[in-house]
Amino acid sequence: MFNANFSPRFYETDAFGHVNNTVVTGWFETAREPIFRIFTPGMDIKKLSIILARIEVDFVAQIYYGSDVSVKTWIEKIGNSSFNVLHEAWQNGAVVARGTAVQVYFDFSTQTSGRVPDEYRSELEKHRAL
Amino acid sequence: MFNANFSPRFYETDAFGHVNNTVVTGWFETAREPIFRIFTPGMDIKKLSIILARIEVDFVAQIYYGSDVSVKTWIEKIGNSSFNVLHEAWQNGAVVARGTAVQVYFDFSTQTSGRVPDEYRSELEKHRAL
Amino acid sequence: MFNANFSPRFYETDAFGHVNNTVVTGWFETAREPIFRIFTPGMDIKKLSIILARIEVDFVAQIYYGSDVSVKTWIEKIGNSSFNVLHEAWQNGAVVARGTAVQVYFDFSTQTSGRVPDEYRSELEKHRAL
Amino acid sequence: MFNANFSPRFYETDAFGHVNNTVVTGWFETAREPIFRIFTPGMDIKKLSIILARIEVDFVAQIYYGSDVSVKTWIEKIGNSSFNVLHEAWQNGAVVARGTAVQVYFDFSTQTSGRVPDEYRSELEKHRAL
């Protein structure tokens, strides 16, 4: 599991007085950054070999300004050329949002998606959801 | 159908050189604003009686800076207390992203979700996907 | 003069119920895009030869969700290696924000700032503030 | 002095490969949040009695993805109805951006700006720039 903490920023609120829904997508992307690093050995993010194919987010409860949000992230499923990432955002002891991201392995040399190499699979396995 | 046009803004790009994925969520929210207006007769957005319960987005192709994006939006399904909104983002003649938003009718007087009132149903029906 | 129109987006509001101040900086950057194009003849924005050195923004009045904002942009002063851009944001017939951006000409071949070339000066002159 | 740390988020980068300039305005707003709390004793941010009148930002150097940014914030000057806040953003041991924010005290009961009350002045004094 990966963990990332976010203090909601004032500009992330909206006129309803809570954190705007669109902000969660950005937090979840940020929570996947340790996964990006697995796939960019030389640390040059422009050479990242995974592409985001799909996201799903369930907005479970209002997210408030003034309390930290903790995003827990797991690898849920590793397929042939893709893998699913699971996110849970917690605030004040309760889940406030849940999401899935489908990442596809992209081989830049052939410009097509391809099988996730074994070296990355074993790293991903370490962060499996139970 | 509703249509909304977006000129990608430079700050919406990311280090990959394309429009960042998180931006699409914001464009889709913006594309739903005519639907928000259906549910806020007095035009006071803070009294909006629908809540976003879920989003799904498929990222079909890279979205480039420098060409306009057109987001087409339909009502896909009207259930008892919720309805599904369908989005398609087009750029240069091709679909670049597709998404669904599940909106739930919320009755502020009882603080619970409730059946979408008939007056709103008939408005939504006018924007049904074929 | 350049003109750019913005419909405030719901996610651009904040908990005060108005458009958040940080949004104005993004609108002003977007309003300078026609100037960026002057400096990127091949239209490849990554080869843009001007750098933002400084911004100033005066927040004159609240900016409301629900009414369009028009940003008028002029070239105010052309120095040796830099030039100043003037912005005014108007909503409902009144100025709501004013700003200046100082852009510096950067010669990538020498990796230093340099004199704004004459071909660009004459283009900038066409958009001078009166 | 107040200190706030920011890990640049991937969506905060732009096509130049660095953190977009507009992001700095948001970080500086976030860095002022401890000051907002001084002026909202009941912690209800909607009752914040200070208004942002002006910002200035000097972009001193590129801000890179992958290294934390520390924003140091001081009170620079306390006038009658306004005070100036000074920000410095540091990355990798160097100043990358500097800024000033002018905040005006606003008395909601009279709907006008007014003298900053003494109780707040003494709090602000504790965070004076040397």
Side-chain angles (χ1 to χ4, degrees):
Chain A
M1 193 193 73
F2 301 98
N3 190 66
N5 285 304
F6 299 91
S7 292
R9 299 174 183 174
F10 187 69
Y11 69 82
E12 295 177 330
T13 62
D14 66 25
F16 293 149
H18 309 125
V19 172
N20 183 269
N21 293 309
T22 67
V23 171
V24 175
T25 321
W27 289 351
F28 284 179
E29 181 194 87
T30 305
R32 287 194 299 278
E33 295 191 6
I35 300 172
F36 299 166
R37 279 193 280 279
I38 293 175
F39 284 84
T40 47
M43 291 311 241
D44 179 357
I45 193 77
K46 291 188 204 174
K47 295 184 179 154
L48 181 67
S49 55
I50 51 173
I51 284 173
L52 184 64
R54 178 179 168 82
I55 57 164
E56 301 169 11
V57 184
D58 286 291
F59 300 99
V60 178
Q62 294 295 359
I63 303 178
Y64 295 99
Y65 178 75
S67 298
D68 279 7
V69 171
S70 163
V71 176
K72 300 176 194 307
T73 298
W74 300 267
I75 306 300
E76 193 188 21
K77 198 178 88 175
I78 309 175
N80 181 50
S81 60
S82 71
F83 59 94
N84 289 13
V85 182
L86 195 70
H87 299 288
E88 277 182 8
W90 290 72
Q91 189 180 46
N92 298 326
V95 174
V96 290
R98 261 192 209 94
T100 302
V102 181
Q103 298 274 357
V104 173
Y105 183 74
F106 188 81
D107 186 331
F108 281 99
S109 65
T110 61
Q111 285 287 309
T112 56
S113 62
R115 187 173 189 276
V116 180
D118 287 340
E119 64 203 275
Y120 299 133
R121 284 174 184 273
S122 56
E123 274 305 306
L124 294 176
E125 286 289 353
K126 295 177 187 167
H127 302 281
R128 275 274 199 178
L130 298 184
Chain B
M1 194 193 74
F2 301 98
N3 191 65
N5 284 305
F6 299 91
S7 292
R9 299 176 183 173
F10 187 68
Y11 69 81
E12 294 178 330
T13 63
D14 66 24
F16 293 150
H18 309 125
V19 171
N20 184 269
N21 293 307
T22 66
V23 171
V24 175
T25 320
W27 289 351
F28 284 178
E29 181 194 87
T30 306
R32 286 195 299 279
E33 295 189 8
I35 300 173
F36 298 166
R37 278 192 282 278
I38 292 174
F39 284 84
T40 48
M43 291 311 241
D44 179 356
I45 193 76
K46 291 189 205 174
K47 294 183 180 155
L48 180 67
S49 55
I50 53 173
I51 283 173
L52 183 63
R54 177 179 169 83
I55 56 164
E56 301 171 11
V57 183
D58 285 292
F59 301 98
V60 178
Q62 295 294 358
I63 304 178
Y64 295 99
Y65 177 76
S67 299
D68 279 9
V69 171
S70 164
V71 176
K72 300 176 194 309
T73 298
W74 300 267
I75 305 302
E76 195 187 23
K77 199 179 86 176
I78 309 175
N80 182 48
S81 60
S82 71
F83 58 94
N84 288 14
V85 182
L86 195 69
H87 299 289
E88 277 182 7
W90 289 73
Q91 190 181 45
N92 298 326
V95 173
V96 289
R98 258 190 212 95
T100 302
V102 181
Q103 298 275 358
V104 172
Y105 184 74
F106 189 80
D107 186 333
F108 281 99
S109 65
T110 61
Q111 286 286 310
T112 54
S113 60
R115 187 172 188 277
V116 180
D118 288 339
E119 64 203 275
Y120 299 133
R121 285 174 183 272
S122 57
E123 275 303 307
L124 294 176
E125 287 289 354
K126 295 176 187 169
H127 302 281
R128 274 275 198 177
L130 297 183
Chain C
M1 193 194 74
F2 301 98
N3 191 66
N5 285 303
F6 299 91
S7 292
R9 300 174 181 174
F10 187 69
Y11 69 82
E12 295 177 330
T13 62
D14 67 26
F16 293 150
H18 308 126
V19 171
N20 184 268
N21 293 308
T22 67
V23 172
V24 176
T25 320
W27 289 351
F28 284 178
E29 181 194 87
T30 306
R32 287 194 299 278
E33 296 191 6
I35 300 172
F36 299 167
R37 280 193 281 278
I38 293 175
F39 285 85
T40 48
M43 291 310 241
D44 179 356
I45 193 78
K46 291 189 204 173
K47 294 184 180 155
L48 181 67
S49 54
I50 52 172
I51 284 173
L52 184 62
R54 177 179 169 82
I55 56 165
E56 300 171 11
V57 184
D58 286 291
F59 301 98
V60 178
Q62 295 294 359
I63 304 178
Y64 295 99
Y65 177 75
S67 298
D68 279 8
V69 171
S70 164
V71 176
K72 299 177 195 308
T73 297
W74 299 267
I75 305 301
E76 195 188 20
K77 198 179 88 175
I78 309 175
N80 182 48
S81 60
S82 71
F83 59 94
N84 288 15
V85 182
L86 195 70
H87 299 288
E88 277 182 7
W90 289 73
Q91 190 180 46
N92 298 326
V95 174
V96 289
R98 261 192 209 95
T100 302
V102 181
Q103 298 274 356
V104 173
Y105 184 74
F106 188 81
D107 185 332
F108 281 99
S109 64
T110 60
Q111 286 287 309
T112 55
S113 61
R115 188 174 187 275
V116 180
D118 287 339
E119 64 204 275
Y120 300 133
R121 284 174 183 273
S122 56
E123 274 304 307
L124 293 176
E125 286 289 354
K126 295 178 188 167
H127 302 281
R128 274 275 198 176
L130 297 184
Chain D
M1 194 194 71
F2 301 98
N3 191 65
N5 285 303
F6 299 91
S7 293
R9 299 174 183 176
F10 187 68
Y11 69 82
E12 295 178 330
T13 62
D14 67 24
F16 293 150
H18 309 125
V19 171
N20 184 268
N21 293 308
T22 66
V23 171
V24 175
T25 320
W27 289 350
F28 284 178
E29 181 194 88
T30 306
R32 287 194 299 277
E33 295 189 8
I35 300 173
F36 299 166
R37 278 193 282 277
I38 292 175
F39 284 84
T40 48
M43 289 311 240
D44 179 356
I45 193 77
K46 290 188 207 176
K47 294 184 181 154
L48 181 66
S49 55
I50 52 172
I51 284 173
L52 183 63
R54 178 180 168 84
I55 57 164
E56 301 170 13
V57 184
D58 286 291
F59 300 99
V60 178
Q62 295 293 359
I63 304 178
Y64 295 99
Y65 177 76
S67 298
D68 279 8
V69 171
S70 164
V71 176
K72 300 177 195 308
T73 298
W74 300 266
I75 306 301
E76 195 188 21
K77 199 179 88 177
I78 309 175
N80 182 49
S81 61
S82 71
F83 59 94
N84 288 13
V85 182
L86 194 70
H87 300 289
E88 277 182 6
W90 290 73
Q91 189 181 45
N92 299 325
V95 173
V96 289
R98 258 190 212 96
T100 302
V102 181
Q103 299 273 359
V104 172
Y105 184 74
F106 188 80
D107 185 333
F108 281 99
S109 65
T110 61
Q111 286 287 308
T112 54
S113 60
R115 187 173 188 276
V116 180
D118 288 339
E119 65 203 273
Y120 300 134
R121 284 174 183 273
S122 56
E123 275 304 306
L124 294 175
E125 286 288 354
K126 295 177 188 168
H127 302 281
R128 274 275 199 178
L130 298 184

